[in-house]
Amino acid sequence: MYSHLLIATDGSDLSEIAVERGLKLAKSLSARATVITVTEPLPIVGSFETGIPFPEEDYEKGAAQLASSLLAKVAEKARALEVNCETVHVKDQTPAEGILQTATERGCDLIVMSTHSRHGLSLMILGSQANKVVTHSPVSVLVCPPPGR
């Protein structure tokens, strides 16, 4: 049915649900998995003149360390389940862009991800990465909702 799952994580408790379910699904299907985390570009607070300066290299170094730690933990879980798993850190993209691009480039046939279930003003301002992936994905998407939904 599915032979290559792309499992998205941002390290949150909600994305941990998608990681657990995605790895277990990969195991049950004898599929391989690629686990992805995406780092967005350095955010600019305020205008250029009033922006808070933050060294770009510090941001990138911190993001790389966080991604490396996160992906190492997921890789260990995959090894424990005996799931063939690769990890990838995509930089300077929105999560939806990174997930969709990686799914296409790596030939994944299912994307597994969580949703933060934003609504109201937070949905309007922040958007829904899960909704963007579902709307634009060329492959099936399994969206894991928060507990209790």
Side-chain angles (χ1 to χ4, degrees):
M1 178 174 226
Y2 298 109
S3 61
H4 189 182
L5 283 60
L6 180 68
I7 305 169
T9 182
D10 62 8
S12 68
D13 290 342
L14 290 174
S15 70
E16 192 62 27
I17 294 169
V19 168
E20 295 288 334
R21 290 182 182 169
L23 290 175
K24 287 178 182 176
L25 180 59
K27 171 80 173 173
S28 71
L29 296 172
S30 298
R32 61 190 174 115
T34 297
V35 178
I36 182 175
T37 191
V38 181
T39 303
E40 296 190 61
L42 174 67
I44 302 296
V45 180
S47 68
F48 181 73
E49 293 82 18
T50 63
I52 298 170
F54 189 86
E56 185 174 349
E57 52 279 353
D58 289 348
Y59 173 77
E60 290 177 4
K61 182 179 177 185
Q65 288 174 339
L66 183 63
S68 178
S69 173
L70 170 64
L71 293 172
K73 289 176 187 173
V74 174
E76 182 58 36
K77 289 179 183 184
R79 275 191 293 280
L81 289 170
E82 299 179 344
V83 172
N84 180 3
C85 180
E86 294 181 62
T87 60
V88 67
H89 175 206
V90 174
K91 303 173 190 175
D92 297 328
Q93 292 188 8
T94 66
E97 291 168 336
I99 291 165
L100 292 168
Q101 179 181 337
T102 302
T104 300
E105 288 175 354
R106 296 199 176 226
C108 299
D109 50 13
L110 178 68
I111 298 170
V112 181
M113 65 186 304
S114 65
T115 179
H116 290 276
S117 290
R118 290 185 177 103
H119 56 279
L121 188 58
S122 67
L123 175 62
M124 188 173 75
I125 293 171
L126 299 172
S128 167
Q129 297 301 309
N131 186 50
K132 290 173 186 171
V133 170
V134 168
T135 303
H136 299 288
S137 179
V139 300
S140 298
V141 181
L142 172 61
V143 180
C144 304
R149 291 232 177 187

